[in-house]
Amino acid sequence: MSKDFGRPPLAEENRTLVEQRLKEAAVGKGIRETLTVEWRTQPLHIEVIDMPVDSLYYNPGTHRIRAQRSHDPEKDLTLDEDPWCPDGQDYLHYLLKALPADPSKGDPDFDKLLESLRDFKQNEPGLITRDGILVNGNTRRAALKELGVANIRVGVLPDSCTWDDINAVELSLQLRPDSRREYSYINRLLTIDEQHLLGRPMTDIARDFRIRVTTCEQDLWILSCLRDLVERSKDGEAQLRLLDFEKQQEKLRELHRRYVKEAAVSRDNAELLKELRLVAIALNFSKTDVRLIEPDFKDRYLDRRLPDGLKAAPSAPSAIAIPGLNRSVRSAAPKVAQAKALTDIVLKARAVETAEDGNLSERGTAAAQTFASARDAIEDALEPAGKDARIRKRKQAAPDRIADACQDIEQCITDLVLARASRSLDEEAFDEAVIKLHETLGKLAHESARSIKTPGDGVSWLLDAVRQESV
């Protein structure tokens, strides 16, 4: 069940105005504008009317800024206690304008929306309940308020609308293929998790989000990891937030794929790999650097480079989640516990450093030094790890073959341009070569599907392309 936020103060006034304007639209002689939404699994055509911008309310349950609400804990608490009060609505207004990865900064996409509305007015209508709560168009209303526009065009949902309906309709509109402003990465994870907790089948969630079931399971696993990191980062009042990992999407997905592959051989090695890569992610290393970290990274390269202050005694063995299953096991491996202890130190240091925000207090200075020492040690360890990885890579020719083929195709494009200029292309021979390429890609997709259990973005594209060809 979705959370019920109750009714806003102007609910009755808005209902009266909505009914009045719906009647005016019904008897009017002009062209009536309608909007189609998915309503309780069926398409529904609803009337569009004008409503005063200032009389409407932002939806406190909108998924667009779910993670960003933690930016200011005090205002977030105000929003929970009274989402309709001016302070709560002002906080929502602020977050709708903010950069999802860092709400202390303005979002360039919001500035583009402002410019578009200023130049071309409102193209797409928003969507409200009869109480005046915005189900879709929260960001557009924020932009119109900034521009001082008096009215906003909105479709009106049926009188029987509940908070479960609001949640479902918002989700269906946001996940349309032509959506202009997608949920941020963390908000997308939270929305998938919310649907999962509502008891919806994973196949239905995956279909709504237009992703595979395996990707859904991957996202839930990642969110579980991030929540664990947030909890472990707590040091007094300082604590990281989910949105602090907003820009780590590709690293986290690669981590999951590598974890699943390693877990098929050794659960402890998979946990060791996870902790070591998570600490590198927390330290903001690049994707290519994180990729160099394998289960032997700490023993082989890192331990002798770690300062004594980062060699804390490991905590007691803790439960580890099994991807795809709703159960966990306990790992007693000392190496895993030691890696977790290092991760905890770095997480707490980052939390304190973030909370101090540049203040030169003794605690903040110590946290910054710890963070820098850990980063320096891992950076030093990555150099020999990278050299060894390059040697291992030479033994794995398949990726290199693809890279070489891409270079050949790039050269082919250049040759086509030159041939067009001189009208010297043998079109029949070229067509035969493309048919051969098509057949070869089909074979490559077949073997990739057999060899790779959790496809990345590239292999997923290849499998989808071949699958669509066969339909």
Side-chain angles (χ1 to χ4, degrees):
M1 294 287 290
S2 299
K3 181 176 180 180
D4 189 336
F5 294 94
R7 301 180 69 196
L10 295 179
E12 289 304 325
E13 290 90 335
N14 281 329
R15 279 181 169 270
T16 300
L17 185 56
V18 165
E19 293 298 333
Q20 175 187 335
R21 297 199 170 178
L22 286 174
K23 288 178 182 178
E24 291 172 354
V27 300
K29 296 182 179 179
I31 298 175
R32 294 168 61 181
E33 183 180 6
T34 60
L35 177 68
T36 303
V37 298
E38 184 178 318
W39 177 256
R40 299 172 184 171
T41 73
Q42 299 293 327
L44 175 69
H45 306 292
I46 59 176
E47 295 283 350
V48 174
I49 60 174
D50 284 343
M51 284 291 288
V53 169
D54 289 336
S55 71
L56 302 183
Y57 292 90
Y58 296 120
N59 175 13
T62 179
H63 299 92
R64 183 173 298 287
I65 52 171
R66 182 70 55 84
Q68 286 70 31
R69 284 183 49 171
S70 62
H71 172 65
D72 188 324
E74 290 186 8
K75 291 181 179 178
D76 189 24
L77 181 61
T78 298
L79 199 54
D80 272 337
E81 293 174 345
D82 187 357
W84 312 118
C85 71
D87 287 345
Q89 288 287 301
D90 286 347
Y91 186 44
L92 290 173
H93 182 80
Y94 170 83
L95 293 177
L96 288 164
K97 300 187 300 176
L99 185 68
D102 184 358
S104 65
K105 300 176 182 177
D107 187 356
D109 285 343
F110 184 81
D111 294 337
K112 291 178 183 177
L113 176 61
L114 276 177
E115 185 178 347
S116 174
L117 288 170
R118 184 185 294 114
D119 294 342
F120 306 108
K121 309 306 179 185
Q122 183 186 356
N123 292 323
E124 298 292 331
L127 185 66
I128 63 169
T129 68
R130 299 190 180 222
D131 287 346
I133 302 167
L134 282 152
V135 179
N136 189 43
N138 286 275
T139 311
R140 268 168 285 170
R141 188 239 183 177
L144 291 171
K145 279 178 70 70
E146 291 292 308
L147 294 172
V149 177
N151 293 290
I152 179 173
R153 290 178 17 255
V154 289
V156 183
L157 288 173
D159 194 30
S160 62
C161 182
T162 66
W163 279 101
D164 283 337
D165 292 324
I166 291 174
N167 183 55
V169 171
E170 184 204 6
L171 191 60
S172 68
L173 287 170
Q174 178 57 37
L175 296 180
R176 283 181 176 176
D178 60 349
S179 178
R180 293 185 178 180
R181 194 184 182 209
E182 296 180 350
Y183 292 149
S184 69
Y185 175 54
I186 298 299
N187 285 328
R188 189 177 180 87
L189 297 184
L190 289 170
T191 306
I192 290 173
D193 183 57
E194 177 186 83
Q195 296 298 301
H196 178 58
L197 293 176
L198 288 172
R200 295 191 63 202
M202 199 70 75
T203 50
D204 290 352
I205 299 172
R207 184 186 63 248
D208 287 348
F209 279 82
R210 295 173 179 84
I211 57 179
R212 293 180 176 79
V213 171
T214 53
T215 305
C216 249
E217 293 170 345
Q218 179 187 72
D219 285 343
L220 292 175
W221 183 90
I222 289 172
L223 181 59
S224 176
C225 282
L226 294 183
R227 282 173 166 158
D228 180 51
L229 293 183
V230 168
E231 183 63 29
R232 289 161 58 187
S233 73
K234 190 169 185 179
D235 188 350
E237 296 298 318
Q239 187 172 22
L240 292 176
R241 306 157 299 177
L242 287 174
L243 66 89
D244 291 318
F245 299 92
E246 185 69 62
K247 296 180 180 180
Q248 312 296 344
Q249 175 176 345
E250 289 305 315
K251 301 174 198 176
L252 291 166
R253 286 181 170 175
E254 280 198 4
L255 167 60
H256 175 263
R257 291 194 292 268
R258 185 66 185 85
Y259 178 94
V260 171
K261 185 176 181 180
E262 190 66 41
V265 179
S266 168
R267 180 70 58 187
D268 283 337
N269 276 350
E271 281 297 307
L272 185 56
L273 171 85
K274 183 183 81 171
E275 288 298 324
L276 294 172
R277 289 200 176 189
L278 285 175
V279 77
I281 290 171
L283 289 165
N284 294 319
F285 278 97
S286 69
K287 181 170 67 174
T288 52
D289 283 338
V290 173
R291 198 177 288 160
L292 296 173
I293 296 176
E294 293 294 325
D296 64 353
F297 179 77
K298 189 171 183 291
D299 280 349
R300 192 169 183 180
Y301 309 107
L302 182 60
D303 275 347
R304 62 178 177 274
R305 294 174 170 85
L306 278 176
D308 291 339
L310 293 176
K311 295 178 179 178
S315 56
S318 57
I320 57 177
I322 301 177
L325 300 177
N326 292 321
R327 63 187 181 89
S328 60
V329 297
R330 300 186 71 83
S331 172
K335 291 181 180 180
V336 175
Q338 290 165 6
K340 286 176 69 72
L342 173 61
T343 306
D344 290 348
I345 292 173
V346 170
L347 290 171
K348 292 178 188 298
R350 179 175 170 182
V352 171
E353 187 179 19
T354 301
E356 294 283 328
D357 194 23
N359 291 336
L360 298 178
S361 67
E362 183 177 346
R363 183 170 179 244
T365 301
Q369 289 174 346
T370 298
F371 191 86
S373 295
R375 184 173 173 85
D376 288 345
I378 291 181
E379 192 166 25
D380 288 345
L382 283 169
E383 184 176 353
K387 291 179 180 178
D388 289 351
R390 285 191 291 275
I391 294 172
R392 289 195 299 269
K393 190 176 180 181
R394 295 193 192 108
K395 301 177 182 179
Q396 299 174 356
D400 292 334
R401 301 286 187 188
I402 294 289
D404 290 343
C406 289
Q407 291 180 4
D408 287 341
I409 291 175
E410 290 285 348
Q411 183 60 49
C412 175
I413 295 169
T414 302
D415 292 342
L416 274 174
V417 173
L418 296 175
R420 183 173 67 243
S422 62
R423 297 182 180 180
S424 59
L425 177 65
D426 185 338
E427 295 184 7
E428 290 184 1
F430 183 77
D431 190 65
E432 289 176 2
V434 172
I435 291 173
K436 179 64 176 176
L437 173 63
H438 183 224
E439 294 173 353
T440 304
L441 285 175
K443 294 176 183 177
L444 178 62
H446 177 71
E447 292 303 326
S448 297
R450 294 178 61 189
S451 304
I452 301 173
K453 293 183 178 179
T454 309
D457 292 340
V459 175
S460 295
W461 167 84
L462 177 63
L463 298 178
D464 283 343
V466 173
R467 190 179 297 113
Q468 288 172 10
E469 285 283 337
S470 63
V471 173

